[in-house]
Amino acid sequence: MSKPSRFAPKDINGILPPLLTPFDKQENIIESVLRQEVRYMLDQGVHGLVPGGSAGEGNALAVDEIRQIVGVVCEEAAGKVPVIAGIIANSTREAIDKARAVADLGVSALQITPVHYIYKNDDDAMMRHFGAIREVVDLPIIIYNVIPWNYLSVDLLLKTMRRIPGIFGVKQSASDMKSLTDLIAQCDPEHRIYAAIDALLYPTLALGAHGSISQILSAVPGPCVEMWNLVQQGEHERALELHYRLLKVWNAIAGDNRLAVTKHALSLQGVPVGNPRAPLTPASESQKQRVREELGQLLGNDTLAKAA
């Protein structure tokens, strides 16, 4: 039985950072740091929280760990902002198991990927997948369109939102501005389209995305909230200037082990989330130095010094 949230899908807008999962050296979840991370994000003014997504290593989390993480986040958020639980699963059955595990915790929505191991599914199979999850767990769903070999077309995404009640949004990834723009232009008024293109936060918001759920938000939530506010106020010249400053930080993060570098960036701000689970590679010393330099330019060296 789903626990009701006070937030409706229409309330899920703005800067929605994927939460990084804190691990100790034995790769166990550190609940105290997760609570600290939630408080930090709320202090930065974010509009929602997304535990269990790609940046949260949701692909590497067991069902009981997903429940643990989402439960802690919901408890610490205490209804201040919506919590969207990430579900990364490789079968409909597994997705349902993970969705059921968080359904009674007070989440406002689920963010669910297509299945991702090797195979591409046809459109009917994908609609059955999301429809089956929605039928079992009465929670709103955002489709996380991120799997390169199971990439869902704009037509399929629009059809799925229109035909299956409760599937209200798409998180559009893969640096695909064309599909993002088409979704924004063609979606129904009650639908929500979220940008997940880290290097292009300003352009995606300026095009009318209803918000963003992407890793750059996890690394520097405060400036991303500032970006959202500037775009909403029509301050596009200032937003563009901030965009290029944010881009320098993202260029310092981007790479095959960008999650590790993102975790280091947040740790430099006083939230010690540790390294990713193996086999992901920790940030190198040169990566750490570069991201520190760019964060210092963006946030101020005093901020990093205090965090250290």
Side-chain angles (χ1 to χ4, degrees):
M1 188 70 175
S2 300
K3 179 179 177 181
S5 165
R6 74 182 187 87
F7 298 101
K10 65 180 178 61
D11 302 317
I12 303 175
N13 304 295
I15 298 302
L16 311 162
L19 294 179
L20 308 174
T21 302
F23 294 124
D24 62 20
K25 291 182 179 179
Q26 289 72 45
E27 300 188 357
N28 298 312
I29 297 162
I30 313 174
E31 285 195 9
S32 60
V33 176
L34 181 57
R35 292 182 185 277
Q36 182 184 353
E37 183 181 2
V38 171
R39 293 193 297 271
Y40 182 74
M41 293 294 172
L42 293 176
D43 287 346
Q44 298 297 303
V46 303
H47 306 103
L49 300 164
V50 188
S54 300
E57 300 173 73
N59 60 298
L61 298 173
V63 174
D64 61 330
E65 291 177 317
I66 289 285
R67 178 174 175 82
Q68 178 187 1
I69 289 166
V70 173
V72 167
V73 171
C74 287
E75 184 176 287
E76 197 64 37
K80 296 182 181 73
V81 297
V83 174
I84 301 95
I87 304 291
I88 301 176
N90 215 20
S91 68
T92 304
R93 178 172 179 164
E94 183 188 359
I96 288 172
D97 287 345
K98 288 185 173 181
R100 278 178 166 154
V102 302
D104 64 338
L105 299 176
V107 299
S108 298
L110 305 173
Q111 173 192 275
I112 306 177
T113 61
V115 296
H116 53 275
Y117 180 70
I118 297 181
Y119 304 106
K120 177 173 177 60
N121 292 273
D122 62 33
D123 288 4
D124 289 343
M126 280 291 84
M127 290 189 69
R128 287 195 301 271
H129 174 70
F130 290 107
I133 302 165
R134 171 63 186 176
E135 186 175 338
V136 173
V137 183
D138 185 23
L139 285 168
I141 291 173
I142 297 166
I143 298 173
Y144 181 9
N145 194 25
V146 67
I147 311 301
W149 48 86
N150 201 5
Y151 195 61
L152 309 188
S153 68
V154 169
D155 287 345
L156 175 59
L157 292 164
L158 292 169
K159 183 167 66 173
T160 303
M161 287 192 288
R162 287 167 180 157
R163 292 190 182 180
I164 303 176
I167 299 184
F168 75 95
V170 173
K171 175 181 170 181
Q172 182 62 30
S173 189
S175 298
D176 189 348
M177 288 284 283
K178 175 65 165 61
S179 292
L180 176 77
T181 307
D182 285 339
L183 284 165
I184 294 168
Q186 297 177 46
C187 73
D188 296 343
E190 66 272 20
H191 295 156
R192 293 291 179 268
I193 308 301
Y194 305 100
I197 307 174
D198 300 280
L200 299 172
L201 181 60
Y202 166 64
T204 57
L205 296 182
L207 284 167
H210 298 95
S212 179
I213 309 173
S214 65
Q215 203 163 305
I216 186 68
L217 282 54
S218 313
V220 280
C224 294
V225 171
E226 182 184 356
M227 173 71 76
W228 170 263
N229 291 336
L230 288 171
V231 172
Q232 300 311 300
Q233 295 158 10
E235 297 278 354
H236 289 281
E237 186 173 342
R238 291 175 59 197
L240 184 60
E241 186 273 334
L242 177 57
H243 168 74
Y244 284 112
R245 293 167 62 204
L246 279 168
L247 183 60
K248 290 181 179 179
V249 173
W250 181 249
N251 286 342
I253 290 172
D256 288 340
N257 67 335
R258 58 188 173 275
L259 176 56
V261 186
T262 301
K263 285 190 140 184
H264 184 68
L266 189 60
S267 296
L268 288 172
Q269 297 164 70
V271 186
V273 288
N275 287 317
R277 276 185 169 165
L280 294 180
T281 306
S284 68
E285 290 306 313
S286 61
Q287 287 176 317
K288 290 178 180 179
Q289 179 61 31
R290 185 180 175 198
V291 81
R292 173 180 275 279
E293 290 172 358
E294 296 300 348
L295 279 178
Q297 292 292 319
L298 180 68
L299 302 177
N301 287 315
D302 289 347
T303 299
L304 302 188
K306 289 175 185 175

mmCIF file of all heavy atoms in Angstrom, residues 15 22 40 43 51 62 75 90 110 117 126 132 159 181 207-208 216 220 224 261 263 289 302:
data_model
loop_
_atom_site.group_PDB
_atom_site.id
_atom_site.type_symbol
_atom_site.label_atom_id
_atom_site.label_comp_id
_atom_site.label_asym_id
_atom_site.label_seq_id
_atom_site.Cartn_x
_atom_site.Cartn_y
_atom_site.Cartn_z
ATOM 1 N N ILE A 15 15.177 22.066 -9.562
ATOM 2 C CA ILE A 15 16.465 21.396 -9.388
ATOM 3 C C ILE A 15 16.272 20.202 -8.450
ATOM 4 O O ILE A 15 15.990 20.356 -7.270
ATOM 5 C CB ILE A 15 17.512 22.378 -8.840
ATOM 6 C CG1 ILE A 15 17.716 23.531 -9.843
ATOM 7 C CG2 ILE A 15 18.823 21.662 -8.558
ATOM 8 C CD1 ILE A 15 18.148 23.108 -11.234
ATOM 9 N N PRO A 22 26.511 7.421 0.173
ATOM 10 C CA PRO A 22 27.771 7.397 0.923
ATOM 11 C C PRO A 22 28.141 5.978 1.347
ATOM 12 O O PRO A 22 27.320 5.254 1.920
ATOM 13 C CB PRO A 22 27.473 8.250 2.160
ATOM 14 C CG PRO A 22 26.115 8.843 1.946
ATOM 15 C CD PRO A 22 25.411 7.974 0.975
ATOM 16 N N TYR A 40 22.319 19.177 3.551
ATOM 17 C CA TYR A 40 23.101 20.096 2.718
ATOM 18 C C TYR A 40 22.313 20.496 1.478
ATOM 19 O O TYR A 40 22.260 21.687 1.114
ATOM 20 C CB TYR A 40 24.426 19.440 2.323
ATOM 21 C CG TYR A 40 25.320 20.341 1.499
ATOM 22 C CD1 TYR A 40 25.993 21.405 2.092
ATOM 23 C CD2 TYR A 40 25.485 20.145 0.128
ATOM 24 C CE1 TYR A 40 26.807 22.239 1.344
ATOM 25 C CE2 TYR A 40 26.306 20.967 -0.624
ATOM 26 C CZ TYR A 40 26.965 22.017 -0.005
ATOM 27 O OH TYR A 40 27.762 22.853 -0.749
ATOM 28 N N ASP A 43 19.606 22.896 2.395
ATOM 29 C CA ASP A 43 20.179 24.217 2.696
ATOM 30 C C ASP A 43 20.536 24.977 1.425
ATOM 31 O O ASP A 43 20.516 26.217 1.408
ATOM 32 C CB ASP A 43 21.435 24.067 3.561
ATOM 33 C CG ASP A 43 21.129 23.676 4.998
ATOM 34 O OD1 ASP A 43 19.955 23.784 5.404
ATOM 35 O OD2 ASP A 43 22.061 23.233 5.703
ATOM 36 N N PRO A 51 17.005 9.837 -4.582
ATOM 37 C CA PRO A 51 17.905 8.756 -4.184
ATOM 38 C C PRO A 51 17.751 7.531 -5.085
ATOM 39 O O PRO A 51 16.686 7.297 -5.656
ATOM 40 C CB PRO A 51 17.430 8.433 -2.757
ATOM 41 C CG PRO A 51 15.974 8.785 -2.766
ATOM 42 C CD PRO A 51 15.824 9.948 -3.713
ATOM 43 N N ALA A 62 21.046 -3.475 -3.665
ATOM 44 C CA ALA A 62 20.058 -4.531 -3.472
ATOM 45 C C ALA A 62 18.725 -3.918 -3.058
ATOM 46 O O ALA A 62 18.648 -2.744 -2.675
ATOM 47 C CB ALA A 62 20.553 -5.500 -2.406
ATOM 48 N N GLU A 75 12.707 10.356 5.596
ATOM 49 C CA GLU A 75 12.657 10.759 7.008
ATOM 50 C C GLU A 75 13.365 12.085 7.221
ATOM 51 O O GLU A 75 12.850 12.981 7.902
ATOM 52 C CB GLU A 75 13.290 9.668 7.868
ATOM 53 C CG GLU A 75 13.211 9.920 9.361
ATOM 54 C CD GLU A 75 13.782 8.752 10.144
ATOM 55 O OE1 GLU A 75 13.108 7.697 10.199
ATOM 56 O OE2 GLU A 75 14.899 8.885 10.691
ATOM 57 N N ASN A 90 16.548 -4.784 -14.181
ATOM 58 C CA ASN A 90 16.787 -5.448 -15.450
ATOM 59 C C ASN A 90 15.646 -6.364 -15.877
ATOM 60 O O ASN A 90 15.789 -7.130 -16.812
ATOM 61 C CB ASN A 90 18.098 -6.235 -15.376
ATOM 62 C CG ASN A 90 18.830 -6.215 -16.702
ATOM 63 O OD1 ASN A 90 18.583 -5.352 -17.531
ATOM 64 N ND2 ASN A 90 19.704 -7.167 -16.909
ATOM 65 N N LEU A 110 8.318 7.634 -8.693
ATOM 66 C CA LEU A 110 9.406 6.722 -9.011
ATOM 67 C C LEU A 110 10.058 7.164 -10.313
ATOM 68 O O LEU A 110 9.372 7.615 -11.236
ATOM 69 C CB LEU A 110 8.883 5.296 -9.182
ATOM 70 C CG LEU A 110 8.085 4.695 -8.035
ATOM 71 C CD1 LEU A 110 7.506 3.345 -8.445
ATOM 72 C CD2 LEU A 110 8.948 4.551 -6.790
ATOM 73 N N TYR A 117 20.129 -4.742 -19.960
ATOM 74 C CA TYR A 117 21.175 -5.728 -20.238
ATOM 75 C C TYR A 117 21.057 -6.258 -21.666
ATOM 76 O O TYR A 117 20.193 -7.081 -21.986
ATOM 77 C CB TYR A 117 21.107 -6.893 -19.244
ATOM 78 C CG TYR A 117 22.165 -7.941 -19.500
ATOM 79 C CD1 TYR A 117 23.509 -7.664 -19.241
ATOM 80 C CD2 TYR A 117 21.840 -9.180 -20.033
ATOM 81 C CE1 TYR A 117 24.492 -8.608 -19.493
ATOM 82 C CE2 TYR A 117 22.820 -10.131 -20.284
ATOM 83 C CZ TYR A 117 24.145 -9.838 -20.010
ATOM 84 O OH TYR A 117 25.115 -10.771 -20.260
ATOM 85 N N MET A 126 7.882 -2.391 -23.967
ATOM 86 C CA MET A 126 8.212 -1.312 -23.047
ATOM 87 C C MET A 126 6.964 -0.725 -22.397
ATOM 88 O O MET A 126 6.954 -0.400 -21.205
ATOM 89 C CB MET A 126 9.003 -0.223 -23.776
ATOM 90 C CG MET A 126 10.476 -0.539 -23.951
ATOM 91 S SD MET A 126 11.453 -0.525 -22.410
ATOM 92 C CE MET A 126 11.179 -2.177 -21.759
ATOM 93 N N ALA A 132 2.882 -2.453 -16.147
ATOM 94 C CA ALA A 132 2.801 -3.479 -15.104
ATOM 95 C C ALA A 132 3.278 -2.937 -13.764
ATOM 96 O O ALA A 132 2.696 -3.245 -12.709
ATOM 97 C CB ALA A 132 3.630 -4.692 -15.510
ATOM 98 N N LYS A 159 3.323 8.514 -26.249
ATOM 99 C CA LYS A 159 2.232 7.538 -26.246
ATOM 100 C C LYS A 159 2.085 6.879 -24.874
ATOM 101 O O LYS A 159 0.966 6.688 -24.384
ATOM 102 C CB LYS A 159 2.490 6.483 -27.330
ATOM 103 C CG LYS A 159 1.376 5.452 -27.460
ATOM 104 C CD LYS A 159 1.519 4.639 -28.752
ATOM 105 C CE LYS A 159 2.756 3.785 -28.754
ATOM 106 N NZ LYS A 159 2.811 2.863 -29.929
ATOM 107 N N THR A 181 13.806 18.732 -26.791
ATOM 108 C CA THR A 181 13.004 19.837 -27.317
ATOM 109 C C THR A 181 11.683 19.344 -27.881
ATOM 110 O O THR A 181 10.625 19.958 -27.668
ATOM 111 C CB THR A 181 13.794 20.593 -28.397
ATOM 112 O OG1 THR A 181 15.069 20.973 -27.873
ATOM 113 C CG2 THR A 181 13.056 21.841 -28.842
ATOM 114 N N LEU A 207 15.007 26.295 -22.751
ATOM 115 C CA LEU A 207 14.061 25.718 -23.710
ATOM 116 C C LEU A 207 12.725 25.362 -23.077
ATOM 117 O O LEU A 207 11.770 25.052 -23.784
ATOM 118 C CB LEU A 207 14.669 24.468 -24.347
ATOM 119 C CG LEU A 207 15.733 24.711 -25.416
ATOM 120 C CD1 LEU A 207 16.482 23.423 -25.725
ATOM 121 C CD2 LEU A 207 15.102 25.281 -26.691
ATOM 122 N N GLY A 208 12.680 25.371 -21.752
ATOM 123 C CA GLY A 208 11.405 25.131 -21.084
ATOM 124 C C GLY A 208 11.295 23.817 -20.352
ATOM 125 O O GLY A 208 10.178 23.405 -19.981
ATOM 126 N N ILE A 216 25.492 16.978 -12.406
ATOM 127 C CA ILE A 216 26.078 18.269 -12.066
ATOM 128 C C ILE A 216 25.365 18.883 -10.859
ATOM 129 O O ILE A 216 25.967 19.575 -10.037
ATOM 130 C CB ILE A 216 26.046 19.221 -13.292
ATOM 131 C CG1 ILE A 216 26.786 20.530 -12.993
ATOM 132 C CG2 ILE A 216 24.631 19.512 -13.730
ATOM 133 C CD1 ILE A 216 28.268 20.395 -12.821
ATOM 134 N N VAL A 220 27.287 20.426 -7.460
ATOM 135 C CA VAL A 220 27.221 21.848 -7.078
ATOM 136 C C VAL A 220 25.752 22.298 -7.049
ATOM 137 O O VAL A 220 25.301 23.050 -7.912
ATOM 138 C CB VAL A 220 28.052 22.727 -8.040
ATOM 139 C CG1 VAL A 220 29.522 22.666 -7.683
ATOM 140 C CG2 VAL A 220 27.856 22.326 -9.494
ATOM 141 N N CYS A 224 23.349 25.522 -9.255
ATOM 142 C CA CYS A 224 22.298 25.023 -10.148
ATOM 143 C C CYS A 224 20.942 25.593 -9.756
ATOM 144 O O CYS A 224 20.123 25.914 -10.633
ATOM 145 C CB CYS A 224 22.279 23.491 -10.138
ATOM 146 S SG CYS A 224 23.777 22.750 -10.834
ATOM 147 N N VAL A 261 34.574 11.332 -9.293
ATOM 148 C CA VAL A 261 34.993 12.731 -9.224
ATOM 149 C C VAL A 261 33.860 13.583 -8.643
ATOM 150 O O VAL A 261 34.095 14.519 -7.871
ATOM 151 C CB VAL A 261 35.430 13.245 -10.607
ATOM 152 C CG1 VAL A 261 36.012 14.652 -10.493
ATOM 153 C CG2 VAL A 261 36.458 12.312 -11.240
ATOM 154 N N LYS A 263 31.681 12.530 -6.473
ATOM 155 C CA LYS A 263 31.705 12.265 -5.031
ATOM 156 C C LYS A 263 32.811 13.075 -4.350
ATOM 157 O O LYS A 263 32.610 13.620 -3.250
ATOM 158 C CB LYS A 263 31.900 10.765 -4.775
ATOM 159 C CG LYS A 263 30.646 9.934 -5.029
ATOM 160 C CD LYS A 263 30.802 8.504 -4.541
ATOM 161 C CE LYS A 263 29.513 8.020 -3.900
ATOM 162 N NZ LYS A 263 29.610 6.681 -3.312
ATOM 163 N N GLN A 289 42.750 17.412 -8.023
ATOM 164 C CA GLN A 289 43.321 18.751 -8.058
ATOM 165 C C GLN A 289 42.548 19.652 -9.013
ATOM 166 O O GLN A 289 42.240 20.807 -8.686
ATOM 167 C CB GLN A 289 44.797 18.670 -8.482
ATOM 168 C CG GLN A 289 45.495 20.031 -8.577
ATOM 169 C CD GLN A 289 45.523 20.774 -7.261
ATOM 170 O OE1 GLN A 289 45.571 20.158 -6.192
ATOM 171 N NE2 GLN A 289 45.473 22.105 -7.319
ATOM 172 N N ASP A 302 37.405 29.951 0.060
ATOM 173 C CA ASP A 302 37.060 29.979 1.492
ATOM 174 C C ASP A 302 36.041 28.911 1.828
ATOM 175 O O ASP A 302 36.109 28.281 2.879
ATOM 176 C CB ASP A 302 36.528 31.351 1.891
ATOM 177 C CG ASP A 302 37.616 32.416 1.912
ATOM 178 O OD1 ASP A 302 38.800 32.023 1.855
ATOM 179 O OD2 ASP A 302 37.281 33.604 1.987
#
